[in-house]
Amino acid sequence: MNKFINNNLAINGGKPVRKKLFPPYKVIGSEEKIAVNRVIKSGVLSEFAAKDNPNFYGGREIRNLEKEWAKFYKKKHAIAVNSATSGLFAAIGAAGIGPGDEVIVSPYSMSASATAPIIYNAVPVFADIEDEFFCLDPKSVEQKITKRTKAILIVDIFGQTYDYKKINAIAKKNNLIIIEDAAQAPYSFNSKKLSGTLGDIGVFSLNRHKHIQCGEGGMVVTDDDYLAERICMIRNHGECVVESKKTKNIQNTVGFNFRMTEIEAAITRCQLKKLKKLVKDRQKNCEFLSKELKKIPAIKAVEIREKSTHSYYILPFKFNAKIAKVERNKFIDAVKKELPPTAGRETEGVRIVCGYYQPLYRLPMFQKKIAYASNGGVWEKKFYSGQVNYNIKQFPVTEQMYNNELFFIDLMHPGNKKQDLMDVVNAFKKVWINRKSIK
Ligand SMILES: *Cc1c(COP(=O)(O)O)cnc(C)c1O
């Protein structure tokens, strides 16, 4: 680190460590091109129909993708949808959740993990997160259970699975369904089991920022025949088929159009074959960055859960402002001034971020309790007899991570070479050595 002594920080007008944009994350190649051409040549871009015939379940690419995804994840059913958001909505619907029910959700996630219950007029109840792994804290979950609780929608945040032994035991004891949002953690393991397969229903994302992608898309997995059929109904106008299918319980069979097209399915089939390698390459980069950055006394590398792996959607760290004698935000701002954005994501700035999305209970919809209609909808007394409140004081760990400690790096995906990673390390070291000059 000595080579940085008395360097002028870029934030104070000095020369930055690097100007050349970081390489983009490119996962679409010639295999996908061939697959897309195959679909274009066929002229069939979707084969879905909202009728009780085989087309209810989509066309050739969709069904092949679902077969391959189910085999990869060792699940009885895989169902393709047009986003993970749709997948989460369908999962909540399939679980039979409705007005007056409560679903325990994580506040440290993308908003769809908390809005899914709202779509079915149910009430999201936030629990606090773990200090080391940032997933829902089993102790906090247990405290939030009431007689109205029907499910836990749990998130494998940043790329690491939840504490599935403890949480699944809590769910079993209280007869709750577990919906696992594995959007950020494809191909992570916990006790030799794959992420997305730890609960009753698992949901994956295929949007352009995720490990593998098809533009927009999602996958849902389950071993349960009943839940799988329900998800298919919600995907594709279930109300039109319940009569001919002689569906006994028509609750929550009102459908959406959550259908994936044949082109996206064909692309996803190629992407699935690349997943293992893409995750392994990410792990190599992240392990290098973690090893180097934790040499800085104020920076703590992410902890890995026992018997688990991390697939690093993003690479989190904790910052100790007491040791550094400078606040996290000021320190990270100075680091960012030393580095350029990622090619293709220039508008997002340098991909080093303090906190994460603001904790979801802080969104106006929760603070004002307004979802639908003039009185807010799901929280109205005529629907809901519970007492949920969204006071931020209930979530000390989430607040601490968001406001003070957590930052993450997204400059470590495959495509970044050793020198790219070294530039990131050098930016941190330069700022660390010269932190007294941060104003
Ligand atoms: C990306 C993401 C989603 C939503 O995925 P889409 O496919 O964009 O709908 C949901 N949950 C988490 C945790 C995510 O990271």
Side-chain angles (χ1 to χ4, degrees), residues 82-86 88 109-110 112-113 155 157 181 183-184 204-207 210 216-218 313 356:
N82 58 5
S83 71
T85 301
S86 305
L88 292 169
S109 183
M110 184 264 172
S113 324
V155 185
I157 198 70
D181 179 348
Q184 300 190 358
F204 301 88
S205 172
L206 298 161
N207 88 24
K210 297 307 192 312
E216 302 284 357
Y313 174 58
Y356 179 54

Side-chain angles (χ1 to χ4, degrees), residues 39-320:
V39 176
I40 297 279
K41 213 167 152 194
S42 78
V44 181
L45 305 191
S46 174
E47 240 181 309
F48 273 108
K51 295 203 180 88
D52 184 17
N53 66 37
N55 287 353
F56 182 66
Y57 301 98
R60 177 197 292 237
E61 298 289 342
I62 292 284
R63 278 187 255 170
N64 279 326
L65 164 62
E66 291 178 342
K67 232 183 270 164
E68 288 156 13
W69 196 280
K71 187 166 174 226
F72 186 90
Y73 279 95
K74 300 193 180 71
K75 279 282 164 182
K76 198 159 171 201
H77 303 278
I79 299 140
V81 286
N82 58 5
S83 71
T85 301
S86 305
L88 292 169
F89 293 1
I92 290 281
I97 284 157
D101 293 341
E102 292 177 346
V103 178
I104 296 177
V105 297
S106 173
Y108 219 40
S109 183
M110 184 264 172
S111 63
S113 324
T115 57
I118 299 267
I119 302 302
Y120 284 88
N121 273 293
V123 172
V125 174
F126 293 100
D128 206 0
I129 59 171
E130 302 163 301
D131 179 60
E132 318 92 313
F133 312 114
F134 321 119
C135 296
L136 278 178
D137 180 347
K139 277 199 237 76
S140 181
V141 167
E142 222 163 4
Q143 285 163 7
K144 296 284 182 168
I145 291 173
T146 72
K147 61 179 194 293
R148 284 168 292 275
T149 311
K150 290 282 155 59
I152 305 172
L153 199 162
I154 198 146
V155 185
D156 297 330
I157 198 70
F158 304 151
Q160 212 171 178
T161 57
Y162 69 97
D163 186 342
Y164 103 97
K165 284 196 180 130
K166 282 198 189 137
I167 296 278
N168 284 28
I170 292 168
K172 195 162 177 209
K173 192 170 124 201
N174 295 281
N175 201 19
L176 309 177
I177 284 196
I178 294 185
I179 297 165
E180 183 184 7
D181 179 348
Q184 300 190 358
Y187 208 64
S188 293
F189 287 88
N190 184 329
S191 311
K192 302 206 167 105
K193 285 174 187 277
L194 270 167
S195 50
T197 71
L198 302 171
D200 298 291
I201 306 177
V203 178
F204 301 88
S205 172
L206 298 161
N207 88 24
R208 72 184 179 107
H209 295 313
K210 297 307 192 312
H211 296 66
I212 58 171
Q213 62 134 335
C214 64
E216 302 284 357
M219 296 298 296
V220 185
V221 295
T222 182
D223 279 331
D224 187 300
D225 297 341
Y226 175 82
L227 291 174
E229 177 67 5
R230 291 272 151 168
I231 291 163
C232 290
M233 287 199 179
I234 292 165
R235 168 173 72 176
N236 186 16
H237 308 291
E239 67 279 2
C240 298
V241 300
V242 290
E243 222 171 355
S244 51
K245 276 178 176 287
K246 300 195 170 61
T247 305
K248 283 200 197 88
N249 174 9
I250 69 163
Q251 183 204 334
N252 290 8
T253 56
V254 179
F256 297 83
N257 174 354
F258 287 163
R259 304 177 306 218
M260 181 189 270
T261 73
E262 290 285 284
I263 290 181
E264 288 150 352
I267 294 172
T268 304
R269 292 176 68 192
C270 303
Q271 291 278 289
L272 181 61
K273 294 198 181 91
K274 300 181 180 181
L275 177 60
K276 266 190 203 180
K277 171 142 192 350
L278 287 169
V279 169
K280 291 227 160 96
D281 290 350
R282 235 174 232 263
Q283 286 167 337
K284 242 193 280 159
N285 287 351
C286 289
E287 279 155 20
F288 174 77
L289 278 180
S290 292
K291 182 173 101 290
E292 288 299 316
L293 291 187
K294 77 180 182 198
K295 291 177 186 163
I296 294 173
I299 291 179
K300 200 163 169 244
V302 65
E303 290 182 47
I304 310 291
R305 202 185 291 284
E306 200 183 24
K307 293 188 188 153
S308 300
T309 65
H310 203 305
S311 64
Y312 299 107
Y313 174 58
I314 54 174
L315 174 59
F317 292 91
K318 286 209 257 187
F319 187 80
N320 188 323

